[in-house]
Amino acid sequence: MTAAPSPRGGGAPRRPDPCTFVVFGAAGDLTRRLLVPALYNLAEGGLLPEEFALCGVARADLSDAAFRARLVEGLNRFATVAVVPEYAERLLRRVTYLAGDFADPATYRRLAEKLGAAGNCLFYLATPPDVFAEVARGLGQAGLTRQRPGAWRRVIVEKPFGSDLASARRLNRALLDVLEEEQIFRIDHYLGKETVQNILVLRFANGIFEPLWNRDHIDHVQITVAETVSVESRGKFYDATGALRDMVPNHLFQLLALTAMEPPTCFEADAVRSEKTKVLHAVHRLAPERAAQDAVRAQYRAGTVQGRSVAAFRDAPDIAADSITESYVALRLLIDNWRWAGVPFYLRTGKALAARKTEIAVKFKQAPFSMFRDTSIERLAQNFLVLRIQPDEGAALQFNAKVPGPLLRADGVRMDFKYKDYFDAAPSTGYETLIYDCMIGDATQFQRADYVEAGWQVVQPFLDAWHAEGARGLATYAAGSEGPGEADALLRRDGRLWRAIASGPA
Ligand code: BG6
């Protein structure tokens, strides 16, 4: 395969070509909370096409004017920056709406009439996942996915992408029936986070980390996505989904893949995505019996999260009283390749935990102690490189330094980089780069079909093991705590400890 040049190129970011942005599920929350504020930020940054039209499609019966009014209201409420009327006008001057049933072919025919001779079209599927395939098929049958010179057709598919390996494969097949892979942009909003994108730059634009980035020097890696939010009003979705499906094959595996991948030969979509996929293929496949031992699933009990009382998971709205859905998951994974053989990657994520914290902590091997045996040094602090994804974005390196004074004593200290000390990034929704990238045709930060399936392949043994176990093996933890004791035991078994979620050195 010859590598296409990166559409990002060098110099200043270019304005994308004219485009009609068609949102399916336009009456939903995602559109007004995230998509329109993100499009607004692009408009303000001069990164929206000069000719831009927005078309909403949903079941609700709305006029163009009512839909537009909703978007204006949403923008004023959810914009991440003060709204300047001139840019809002530029964004919303060509808004139309089409009411229709996604299962009805007439909806797509009417859409085709509405789009007429429109050139480039981006179709954003902000719908419930069970209609992704249906909408793609409808677009295909109405001829809307057919590209011609000067008229690209791209589809952004939201998450969740499948609920297990078989359904992810089915969805890929359904999409690939009507679209080429290069037209499909499977979104993972973690890839829109600057700090996630920075992992590659930190690893590969510096000469100091890469020589140490392997099993000779790294003891283990901890990837944590801890949330303080509980299930809140998402009970229906969450009870059917759980922490593993909701977070692991997508967000946590992106962090895993970026941390563990080999350097790609160039910064081009397929080169980067192939390396990420290879990492997931190299994750040691566990038989379900073994998977149950290397995973912990738990549900929160009532508790207090940062001073706020939180009812037990099973008492949340739309959660079954006898639900065995996990709100917390911890996994121990091994990557069977030359770089990582024998280095455990511990992943954990959960809701209603002690603090909100997403980080990748790389623990280096201990230095030999013998030289300090007859000194006042009793033990050495551990060497951690911590990439803080959110909040307090940055990176810290923990190492030993001599404590001043006549005795030879050592203590752990930190070199700390904070984004906000160096860069003045405007607050964003995290969707800006992703939408922009899709408009310029750069798929680097999107998930390819084989990557998604490789992720589900890793997750499937855990799903199977838990399915077989039923309620057995489901642990609990108090809302507002560090998670279940069983997750501590998972690391203790290997002689290791989790880093604290709520406090401790960042
Ligand atoms: C979503 C999950 O994909 O990511 C949510 O469905 C989760 O359950 C959210 O809360 C976390 O995203 P962020 O950007 O807040 O870390």
Side-chain angles (χ1 to χ4, degrees):
M1 196 185 317
T2 49
S6 168
R8 280 177 195 258
R14 70 171 169 88
R15 212 184 252 285
D17 296 334
C19 154
T20 304
F21 190 95
V22 183
V23 192
F24 284 85
D29 242 20
L30 182 75
T31 305
R32 54 192 211 118
R33 266 178 193 272
L34 290 163
L35 300 185
V36 172
L39 289 168
Y40 174 84
N41 290 342
L42 288 175
E44 202 183 283
L47 294 176
L48 207 60
E50 203 67 71
E51 281 171 57
F52 180 81
L54 201 160
C55 173
V57 187
R59 284 197 186 87
D61 197 12
L62 293 174
S63 65
D64 289 351
F67 177 58
R68 190 176 191 281
R70 258 177 106 106
L71 299 186
V72 172
E73 185 269 335
L75 179 60
N76 288 326
R77 201 150 134 218
F78 299 112
T80 60
V81 294
V83 176
V84 178
E86 178 199 337
Y87 297 121
E89 168 54 29
R90 179 170 306 170
L91 168 63
L92 297 173
R93 78 183 148 206
R94 288 175 59 200
V95 170
T96 53
Y97 182 79
L98 177 75
D101 187 332
F102 299 148
D104 183 358
T107 303
Y108 305 90
R109 281 200 298 273
R110 285 191 293 129
L111 179 63
E113 277 161 28
K114 205 177 184 51
L115 293 175
N120 305 322
C121 290
L122 191 168
F123 300 103
Y124 198 119
L125 309 195
T127 62
D130 53 341
V131 299
F132 289 162
E134 185 170 280
V135 176
R137 200 168 39 243
L139 289 171
Q141 282 167 354
L144 285 166
T145 52
R146 213 171 303 127
Q147 310 198 83
R148 35 188 175 79
W152 51 251
R153 299 297 159 104
R154 297 178 188 144
V155 176
I156 295 188
V157 187
E158 263 294 334
K159 76 173 273 268
F161 198 93
S163 55
D164 58 11
L165 180 57
S167 56
R169 281 188 173 147
R170 268 199 307 276
L171 181 52
N172 270 333
R173 269 201 305 273
L175 296 177
L176 288 163
D177 264 355
V178 286
L179 295 155
E180 297 296 327
E181 175 62 37
E182 71 191 32
Q183 293 177 279
I184 309 171
F185 290 70
R186 299 172 193 79
I187 213 163
D188 178 332
H189 79 277
Y190 261 56
L191 290 176
K193 294 183 192 283
E194 287 290 344
T195 41
V196 173
Q197 296 185 13
N198 183 47
I199 300 169
L200 283 191
V201 176
L202 180 120
R203 282 191 59 197
F204 300 130
N206 295 298
I208 52 178
F209 300 117
E210 209 42 32
L212 303 180
W213 212 259
N214 56 52
R215 64 184 153 124
D216 295 335
H217 301 282
I218 292 179
D219 175 73
H220 75 276
V221 178
Q222 299 186 13
I223 300 181
T224 300
V225 180
E227 299 187 278
T228 49
V229 287
S230 49
V231 305
E232 288 160 14
S233 56
R234 300 170 74 217
K236 194 156 168 274
F237 159 78
Y238 201 84
D239 203 14
T241 307
L244 178 63
R245 290 182 165 102
D246 187 34
M247 300 293 285
V248 175
N250 35 64
H251 310 328
L252 275 93
F253 279 3
Q254 287 296 345
L255 302 179
L256 172 75
L258 290 165
T259 306
M261 69 193 265
E262 295 301 315
T265 45
C266 58
F267 202 80
E268 186 269 327
D270 271 322
V272 173
R273 299 192 303 173
S274 295
E275 293 305 337
K276 286 164 80 172
T277 307
K278 280 189 213 160
V279 171
L280 295 185
H281 279 147
V283 173
H284 188 71
R285 297 287 152 72
L286 297 167
E289 313 79 72
R290 181 60 215 237
Q293 290 166 29
D294 281 2
V296 171
R297 62 187 164 125
Q299 215 177 55
Y300 61 82
R301 305 186 302 274
T304 307
V305 180
Q306 297 182 330
R308 176 175 55 91
S309 297
V310 172
F313 179 79
R314 289 182 178 180
D315 293 331
D318 299 321
I319 300 282
D322 57 353
S323 167
I324 56 164
T325 301
E326 77 290 352
S327 58
Y328 177 101
V329 58
L331 304 179
R332 175 186 188 275
L333 299 178
L334 288 172
I335 301 177
D336 262 347
N337 63 18
W338 282 88
R339 187 188 281 267
W340 295 116
V343 179
F345 282 72
Y346 302 103
L347 277 56
R348 63 179 162 168
T349 182
K351 299 226 179 274
L353 289 169
R356 174 167 179 258
K357 175 147 124 182
T358 298
E359 66 169 36
I360 300 162
V362 179
K363 160 87 167 59
F364 291 91
K365 291 194 166 157
Q366 285 296 103
F369 188 74
S370 74
M371 151 179 184
F372 302 109
R373 218 164 12 205
D374 300 321
T375 69
S376 314
I377 296 177
E378 283 170 6
R379 57 178 197 89
L380 296 174
Q382 315 190 58
N383 292 141
F384 265 111
L385 174 68
V386 181
L387 311 185
R388 291 190 307 268
I389 306 297
Q390 63 187 23
D392 188 23
E393 290 79 358
L397 183 64
Q398 179 176 301
F399 55 94
N400 285 280
K402 181 181 174 298
V403 178
L407 288 177
L408 185 60
R409 287 195 297 130
D411 205 353
V413 296
R414 281 187 308 138
M415 284 199 294
D416 204 346
F417 151 68
K418 289 182 197 292
Y419 265 81
K420 62 176 170 11
D421 292 346
Y422 286 80
F423 307 113
D424 195 15
S428 71
T429 63
Y431 277 71
E432 290 79 356
T433 323
L434 297 174
I435 294 172
Y436 173 79
D437 281 359
C438 179
M439 289 194 292
I440 62 166
D442 185 346
T444 312
Q445 310 290 359
F446 291 85
Q447 311 178 87
R448 214 170 52 189
D450 54 346
Y451 172 89
V452 172
E453 292 182 15
W456 281 113
Q457 245 154 19
V458 176
V459 159
Q460 193 63 47
F462 298 105
L463 292 173
D464 293 343
W466 295 351
H467 182 70
E469 270 187 356
R472 241 179 339 114
L474 175 71
T476 66
Y477 60 104
S481 70
E482 292 270 325
E486 285 78 351
D488 298 333
L490 182 72
L491 266 68
R492 212 176 313 118
R493 206 172 76 189
D494 293 346
R496 300 186 174 104
L497 282 177
W498 287 112
R499 291 164 49 78
I501 291 174
S503 54

